[in-house]
Amino acid sequence: MPSDEWNDDSRDFTDINPTPSLPDGRGVRIGILTSGGDAQGMNAAVRAVVRSALSVGAEVYAIFEGYQGMIDGGDGIRPFDWEDVGSILNRGGTVIGTFRSKEMREREGRLKAVRHLLHRGIDRLVVIGGDGSLTGLNLLRNEWPGLVAELVKRGDLAPETAREHPSLMIAGMVGSIDNDLVGSDMTIGADTALHRIVDAIDDLASTAASHQRSFVVEVMGRHCGYLALMSAVAGGADFVLVPEQPPEPGWEDRMCADLKAGRKAGRRDSIVIVAEGATDRQGNPIKADYVRQVLIDRLNEDARVTILGHVQRGGTPSAYDRWASTWLGYNAVHEVLTATPDSEGRVIATRSNRIDRISLVKAVADTQRVPDLIGDGKYRDAMRMRGRSFVEMDAIFNELAAPVRTIPAEGDKRIGIMHAGGPAPGMNTAARALARLGISRGHHMIGIHSGFIGLAAGDLSELTWEETEGLTGEGGAMLGTRREVPRTQDLYAISRALEKNEIDALIVVGGYSAYDGVHKMTTERDRYPAFRIPTVCVPASIDNNLPGSELSIGADTALNVIVDAMDKIKESGIASKRCFVVETMGKNCGYLAMMSGLAAGAERIYLNEEGISLDDLVADMHWLRESFANGRRLFLAVRNENASANYTTDFLARMMEEESHGMYDVRTAVLGHMQQGGSPSPFDRLLASRLAYHALNLTDDELAAGHDGAWFIGVKEGHLRPGRMDTMPTLVDPQHRRPRDQWWLDLRAVVRTVSDELRS
Ligand code: ADP
């Protein structure tokens, strides 16, 4: 989680390096281990480390069972090759094992570890673990010269070996489902854990609603409330208890009042989320059973407890935990290859949607300070350590969960909510958040049905709090969405509808058509005064092709759908030698193809941004033949639907088949509209809630100031920022309907490195 200091808006982000190319690694030996609690995505990181290192000529040793493997030596340290990390991306846990090694905490244990490492010439270590594991890594690095000298003195190490390896070069990565490392936005495993929790809450909500029951759900997080708070927002819960913010005495009354009011306002289910480390202000644990008893005693509710436990660590990693961990692993290899004896130990972490090298010592110290702050009653500081978005999510939760409440002094405006463009999972989450936040501020939230067409036809109705109940996790778009951009002749009808319905401001949650339509309205303001109202576009498109936002609502869900399908497709090919060509959506934007290819372990990715040339295809056919001749059984190629007008998916498959000379067969899979469907992922729900909150704040500011700005809002370098609609032409490539600058193209080097392309 980002600390405020690191997450300061004023910070210049240009010092976050683009993905570097890897230096020559010949003659270098790198050890890799996973330690502490397991986390989904560790395998993706291990795979990336092994392959990135091999790709530049380094040798890699997997150290099994965490630090214990290097203390035991022998089979605990094994050289790893390319194929040793094949087919592990989709597996949970860690294939090289993890362990809580007591011996590592003793100097004698660390002496053994150094001896076993140096007998194999390993003096670079990549460790994936929590703050405990990283502490151990740093200690080993600091003690290295002393331990080496002692081994020489004892006669356990040749002096020339000691001279050749005077220091240990390290890189850490954080594997922790709790997302508790201060300074890192997302730790490996946290996104998948959220998937598990939110799936469980969705399932519980439907049974709870059937019986009008209450559920108390305990989630992991001893000192960190990330999973609890985020799952409360994403799961549409009513009350949450997190370690960073022990509730004030009498909180039971407040909880019961909130739940009672929710019932009155139409809720059929009540859900309370409790982090396992939640306490009261005296430091006494608040257990799920206690909360349940309170609900039974004071509300006369039928309340049940669900403790999710280790389910949260289980299962296949999410798309994010695969592609982000792969990106981290690649950068960790860069770090151990470029670190010098004098350089500071670094953790390779995601920050502001980029990879950053943060100080290991500071990150661990800050992380370990949080429980002390909580113990000292410095709750605000503890919350601030969790970062701006955590604090903001707390505010969003409180406003969203609060049952209908009007603040007439603030609101009383009529704000239209509309979708436009293709369906994107999370549109409903955004509409619900806008409606509830708006109602809680005293506004009338007017739903506009079926996009600009519906607006022109005057198809509008006021939304109620109950209407949005249960919408958080629903795919599709309750308000309906249409792709049509208004034509010039539609503008009159639209302006009449806005006037007739006295719409004071408009928020459009949608894709490129939404932006195009709103942009068109802003250029026609002179002719249609009704368009002179605050207007905000919120990015929602699985294609992730919108200006002013690095991520749009729906793209993460689509990625998960695609990666899930690719896992199944790959499994289906296990019995034969097979090449698959999978076509993804995205129109002229290759985001889905690139990121799903990275997450699913595709060998080749074809993007519209790069096109496909005959020379590429000739090289690919050679590569295919050669690699199948060398024992390959499966080859996965991903083709963005508009990668080339003529080299279609079918054409590619036929060419591959023709060139196979019977060595392998070829199948195609065009994934189609399943990519636009499904329940929104936790990330998309959180993004939708945050964007809705910011869009409404911006609208309120505009209304209060008497302004009529036209804006879009988006995520830029990890922060939510507004952009003026009139800058849209400078930000997009209108011919291809995508942003001119696409951050994710930077991951091309990573794909090439881990996918075998360089070895052809
Ligand atoms: P996590 O890494 O998930 O925080 P732990 O705190 O249990 O989990 O640490 C995992 C392992 O890292 C420990 O079992 C131990 O081997 C090693 N380790 C943790 N703290 C230290 C330390 N202070 N000194 C040496 N090794 C440590």
Side-chain angles (χ1 to χ4, degrees), residues 35-37 67 100-101 104-105 130-133 135-136 139:
S35 168
Y67 289 117
R100 296 191 199 272
S101 163
M104 178 64 188
R105 293 177 185 272
D131 57 326
S133 306
T135 305
L139 185 65

Side-chain angles (χ1 to χ4, degrees), residues 597-647:
L598 195 55
E603 272 70 33
R604 184 70 168 96
I605 300 171
Y606 298 106
L607 307 174
N608 175 281
E609 284 82 353
E610 297 169 342
I612 307 176
S613 72
L614 191 55
D615 288 346
D616 291 338
L617 292 177
V618 171
D620 289 349
M621 295 312 118
H622 283 300
W623 173 24
L624 258 177
R625 265 212 303 270
E626 209 172 297
S627 77
F628 274 103
N630 287 331
R632 174 182 291 286
R633 300 196 57 79
L634 192 83
F635 190 97
L636 175 64
V638 184
R639 183 182 171 282
N640 146 240
E641 62 183 349
N642 287 3
S644 158
N646 293 311
Y647 298 143

Side-chain angles (χ1 to χ4, degrees), residues 207-216 238 252 255-272 289-305:
T207 165
S210 309
H211 297 270
Q212 299 220 21
R213 219 169 238 162
S214 299
F215 271 89
V216 184
D238 304 74
E252 294 94 336
M255 175 181 73
C256 290
D258 281 3
L259 262 59
K260 207 164 160 183
R263 286 266 192 238
K264 212 166 141 211
R267 283 205 70 139
R268 290 192 55 86
D269 61 297
S270 301
I271 296 193
V272 177
D289 271 332
Y290 174 72
V291 178
R292 170 177 170 265
Q293 205 52 52
V294 170
L295 297 180
I296 292 173
D297 294 347
R298 302 196 191 186
L299 291 177
N300 207 15
E301 287 259 351
D302 179 8
R304 307 286 163 106
V305 167

